[in-house]
Every structure is written in structure tokens, then in C-alpha cells.
Amino acid sequence: MNWIAVSSIYKFEMTRFFRTITQSFVSPVLSTSLYFVVFGAAIGSRIQEVEGISYGAFIVPGLIMLSVITQSISNASFGIYFPKFIGTVFELLSAPVNFIEIVLGYVGAAATKALFIGVIILATAFFFVDITIQHPVWMVVFLVLTCVSFSLFGFIIGIWAGNFEQLQLVPLLIITPLVFLGGSFYSISMLPPVWQVISHFNPVVYLISGFRWSFFGAADVPILTSLFAIAGFTALCLAVIWWIFRTGWRIRQ
Amino acid sequence: MPDIVEIHDLRKAYSDGFEALKGVTLNIKKGEILALLGPNGAGKTTLISTVCGITTATGGSVKVGGHDTVLDYRAARSMIGLVPQEINLEPFETVMSTVRFSRGLFGKPKNAAALEKILKQLSLWDKKDTQIRALSGGMKRRVLIAKALAHDPRVLFLDEPTAGVDVELRRDMWEIVAELKADGVTIILTTHYIEEAEAIADRIGVIAHGELLLVEDKDKLMARMGKKQLTVQLSKPIDALPASLTSDTLALSPDGESLIYTYDTRAERTGITKLLSDVAAAGLVLTDIETSQSSLEDIFVDLVKEGAV
Ligand SMILES: Nc1ncnc2c1ncn2[C@@H]1O[C@H](COP(=O)(O)OP(=O)(O)OP(=O)(O)O)[C@@H](O)[C@H]1O
Ligand SMILES: [Mg+2]
């Protein structure tokens, strides 16, 4: 393993993040606060408790997931798309590094950034609602796994994308709906039966459910199923990335 | 001593089916400067990209320092530095951070002294904390060179290092190349400036249409193909060559004011003595005599023209 290369890529990407530190932090804090004001206070006051939890607290895990998933994808996809776009990717291709090292560097940095943001949102949430985290270790496990798996996914999008529109397309058309319909703001059990069945085909449901369980001990789907779902998604992304580098798809002519 | 770069029957067809390299075989000696000449689209960049791992070959093999560039890519690539034709740099990075990144990417531990030496050599030291977008084009090109040198490569590929660079900077670049050669670095450069190849290369390769037309020592090439021309200025213009002077190697200039005699310096007899006495016998009066040697440019143009047929 060329660990020096891994850490060089990681540090290089992290400096980019810290250069725009204010933007990176202000926007999630602001949008989370808005969510709390609108959903928690305005609408939430009219909604009864969900599964014995106040609505304001109930949406915290979903809100964190929403940001972490979008951040992971946009960080990772941009991170690898940008060198392709400006042409500096030649350096990666001609360096003595293999795909595992490149992925570790880029995906590691993207996941770290997303994790930062997740933590910030959690901290912001404490200002608005009372929450106790019942299974803190599992909370961290879910959070980290989500950051990593969606950063892997974002990395794939970044390699696939041929222009900036495509870079935005997948997050916009697929991920945002999946996350919104994944039970960020409601419990699956509140849906009509047909939609409950359909929801089980949405992978994000498993993530949010598992994550919420780590907070409140209540879940829409069994916790093990959630874990398998996210592990399966990670494995799938890894397999695709492995194939990309083997074939040089979209990066090496 | 084995050759440091061994390219054997290298082929590259792009995904659209275009064959940019049609079986190139080329060995590069340790420590030499090889200049690759060829018209636009000849395949120079493709050749370099394929050796460096940016594009995958569709046939043939490449070894650098005895290491296969596919099977043993880590060892092979560690030895290679590449300065690409296009200026590809991250605009918001500083010179130092991008050069440091390059060194790290090649797995070399931090070495501030080595980077300082490189940046100073390239007159970039006072710009080390400047963002790349604030540099001039020539400086950016030197940053690319600094990045390529950051990991101490033994083989350096320079793809048109002096394109769009002013005369002074071009001289600087030649000096840098000479210094690197003195350090034992093997250099392969492409250029469209033939006088550049003439000035710094040890050997010259000519590529056209994906084929290597020729590789030869520069001096031998120029001697072998170098023809000399003798221009004889006449005191009064004439309309046509006198019958006594008519020959394949003698021509009248279009304005009729001079005779142009072409001869081979390495031939047993150049025929100059006979020419001059014939000129005198024909009653022509001379005002001046001048000789010129055909440049590499003429050789190059001839070769590529032949190759195109
Ligand atoms: N990605 C690509 N897909 C298809 N064809 C390509 C690609 N890259 C280069 N080519 C073609 O391959 C041929 C060789 O290109 P290359 O860039 O190697 O030429 P070159 O000798 O470097 O030219 P120049 O002096 O203009 O830099 C050209 O005809 C070019 O159009
Ligand atoms: Mg080129």
C-alpha cells in the first residue's frame, strides 16, 4: 500500500474543505434551524407525539441523514469530478497508486466532511429539542457507515458524470426523493398499507429507521435488516468501483 | 547497459476505432535527450500517455527501467515524471501545496529541502505561496515541471514544454533540461520547434500518422541527410542558364540574379571547382558566394512528406 499517497490525497481534499470552512458549516446549521422552526415548532406543535416521541425530536435523525447523505454524495462526486474536469486527473492516472488508494483518499475525505456536518447538525438540534441517544455506539456506527457508503456512491457518480448537469442529476432526481420518502419526517407505520409495502423497496428507509432506533430504541424495520441493507449497499458500491478501475471506464481512454 | 525505456510494437486504437499508434518500437538510452518531432495529430502525446499509464495500450509492451508498465506499474511509474502538453492545474491551490501533493502521490516522504531546490531551480521559490491562478502562463508551465520533478524521476517526459513560451524562458528551459541531463535524468521531449531539437537533443525521432519514421543521432542525421547549397551571386541577371552549365544540381534563382548549386558535403568530389571554372568559361561575372547547410527543418519536412505518400 502507498499510504503516503492516500494521506496526500486525503489532506489535499481536506484543505479544500477547510478553505471554505464558513460556507461548509453555515449552510447546514442554517438549514437545520429552518427545518426545526418550520417542522418542529410550526407544524410539530399540531402533530401529536410519534411513537411516544415529540415530533421535534423525532425528525432529528432523519434531518441528520438527509444532510449527511446529500453531503456525502456531493463531496465525493465533486472531489473526483473536478480533477477530471480541469484535467489534473492525469496525475492520478500516472502515479504509482492503485484504485484502493485513490478511493481511500477521496472517499475518506468526502466521508469525513459529511461526518463533520452530521455532528454539527446534531449539535444544533440540541439547541432546539431535548434528545437522549439510547445507543450512542450504534448511532456512530450508522452515521459512519452512511457517510462511507454514500461517499462511495458519490464517487461513482463523479466518475460517471460527463458534465456538471449530470453531476447534479442523480442526487436531484433519485436521492432527494428517496430520502424525503424514506421516513425522514414521519414513521413508515403512519402511511397507508400500500405505501408501507412500496417503502420497503426504498433503501433509505432502512438507514433512517436504523439510525432512529439508535436514538429512541424504536424502528420501522428490524435493526439487523437495516445493518444488512447498508452493508449490502456499501458492498455494491465497492464492486462497481472495482469494476470501474479495472476497465478504466470513463477515466482512462 | 540496458535501455531505460523499451517500447515494443506499441499500438493504440481509441474507442472510436482510430489507430493513433500503429506499432511503435523505440528504445531510449539512459541519460540521453530524445526529441520527438511530428506534425499535429502524429501521435506524440498518445505515445507519451500510453507509456505513462494515462491511456491503455491496445497492443505491445513498454518497460521502464526493466519494469513492465502494466504488470509492474508501481515500480515503472515511480521512475517517470510527466509534464503534459495542456496546462492542467488547480487554480486555487498554491504552488507549494500542489508540488507537495505530487511528491506525496508518488509515495515519497516529505522533503522540504528537495522541493525548495526544485522551486529555486525553476525560479518559482518566491511564488511558492501564490495561488496558481495568479501566475503567468510560462510560470504555470514551470509549476508543471516542478510537479513532475517533485518525486525525483529518472525519466522525464516533456510534452511540448516550450509551446507558447517566450525566447528567454525557452533558453531557461533548455538550461534546466541540460542540468537534469547532468543529473543523469533521461529526457524525452516533443516539440514543434525544430531548432529546439537541433539545440538540445542527442537523438531525434520523427513520428507521423502513428508510425515512427526514423530515430537517429542528431549529428548523424544531419550529416547523412544534410545537403549544402552554394549560392553564386551574378553581377547581372540572366534569363536562362547557359547550355554549358545545365545540370541536375544547378538551378537559376527565380529573379535570375544567382545560381544555386546543391551538393553533398560527404561526397568524394563536391564539384565546386568545376562549377566555378565553368561559370568563368561561360563569361559570367560573380559578385558574391555564399554557402548554407540544410537545417533539420528541411529534413523533417522532407521526411513527413515522404511518409504521407
Ligand atoms: N481521446 C481520443 N479519442 C479519439 N482520438 C484521439 C483521442 N486523443 C487523440 N486522438 C487522435 O489521435 C491522434 C494523435 O493525437 P496526439 O494527441 O497523440 O497527437 P500529437 O502528435 O500529440 O499532436 P500535437 O502535436 O497536436 O500535440 C490524433 O489524430 C487525434 O485526433
Ligand atoms: Mg500532443
Side-chain angles (χ1 to χ4, degrees), chain A residues 253, chain B residues 14 16 18 20 39-46 85 160 192:
Chain A
Q253 286 135 355
Chain B
Y14 281 106
D16 58 6
F18 181 80
N40 288 134
K44 303 179 296 293
T45 300
T46 305
Q85 181 172 1
E160 296 192 24
H192 286 290

Side-chain angles (χ1 to χ4, degrees), chain B residues 13-309:
Chain B
Y14 281 106
S15 49
D16 58 6
F18 181 80
E19 240 194 330
L21 294 178
K22 299 170 185 158
V24 171
T25 298
L26 170 64
N27 282 8
I28 298 162
K29 296 180 198 115
K30 194 161 180 259
E32 76 171 337
I33 300 178
L34 176 78
L36 286 175
L37 300 173
N40 288 134
K44 303 179 296 293
T45 300
T46 305
L47 179 65
I48 292 178
S49 303
T50 314
V51 172
C52 295
I54 295 165
T55 55
T56 34
T58 41
S61 66
V62 181
K63 279 185 184 169
V64 177
H67 308 287
D68 188 284
T69 52
V70 178
L71 302 174
D72 196 4
Y73 66 92
R74 278 198 207 262
R77 290 185 196 167
S78 301
M79 297 180 67
I80 302 177
L82 166 64
V83 179
Q85 181 172 1
E86 310 285 334
I87 297 185
N88 302 316
L89 289 165
E90 292 214 25
F92 296 103
E93 290 301 328
T94 64
V95 171
M96 193 45 142
S97 77
T98 188
V99 174
R100 199 186 290 128
F101 174 71
S102 297
R103 182 173 172 91
L105 200 57
F106 277 74
K108 290 278 167 92
K110 277 196 187 129
N111 185 339
L115 296 190
E116 180 175 340
K117 181 172 167 257
I118 292 168
L119 289 180
K120 281 188 171 154
Q121 189 179 15
L122 291 161
S123 323
L124 284 170
W125 183 244
D126 55 333
K127 297 279 178 192
K128 67 184 193 315
D129 298 316
T130 309
Q131 283 191 348
I132 284 162
R133 64 191 173 129
L135 299 179
S136 76
M139 290 174 188
K140 285 181 189 153
R141 203 167 276 286
R142 277 181 284 161
V143 172
L144 280 176
I145 299 180
K147 279 167 75 74
L149 293 177
H151 66 277
D152 207 5
R154 302 319 297 155
V155 181
L156 183 66
F157 288 90
L158 294 160
D159 200 351
E160 296 192 24
T162 55
V165 159
D166 71 28
V167 182
E168 198 180 335
L169 202 58
R170 184 167 305 157
R171 303 266 159 189
D172 288 353
M173 202 78 83
W174 294 356
E175 241 166 63
I176 292 164
V177 168
E179 279 171 40
L180 289 169
K181 182 186 153 92
D183 287 345
V185 179
T186 307
I187 294 158
I188 297 94
L189 66 96
T190 73
T191 179
H192 286 290
Y193 302 106
I194 292 164
E195 71 273 19
E196 181 162 281
E198 238 178 299
I200 58 176
D202 298 316
R203 279 203 305 162
I204 288 171
V206 177
I207 301 188
H209 310 286
E211 280 169 295
L212 193 64
L213 300 179
L214 153 155
V215 211
E216 202 165 318
D217 281 351
K218 177 185 66 186
D219 299 337
K220 274 193 203 149
L221 180 68
M222 295 189 37
R224 180 162 68 86
M225 303 188 75
K227 293 200 176 105
K228 264 192 147 175
Q229 277 189 341
L230 175 72
T231 308
V232 180
Q233 289 278 326
L234 303 174
S235 63
K236 277 189 220 126
I238 52 172
D239 296 331
L241 278 177
S244 62
L245 289 178
T246 313
S247 97
D248 291 348
T249 49
L250 189 67
L252 185 65
S253 68
D255 57 11
E257 284 178 1
S258 51
L259 305 173
I260 299 159
Y261 179 67
T262 310
Y263 62 100
D264 189 340
T265 42
R266 306 200 313 158
E268 207 134 292
R269 281 159 192 270
T270 56
I272 295 175
T273 322
K274 182 175 180 304
L275 172 79
L276 292 181
S277 61
D278 288 352
V279 168
L284 300 173
V285 182
L286 316 182
T287 56
D288 199 4
I289 285 182
E290 173 186 275
T291 65
S292 65
Q293 180 143 27
S294 69
S295 68
L296 197 52
E297 181 153 353
D298 307 322
I299 298 171
F300 171 72
V301 171
D302 287 349
L303 254 178
V304 173
K305 243 189 244 153
E306 276 168 37
V309 189

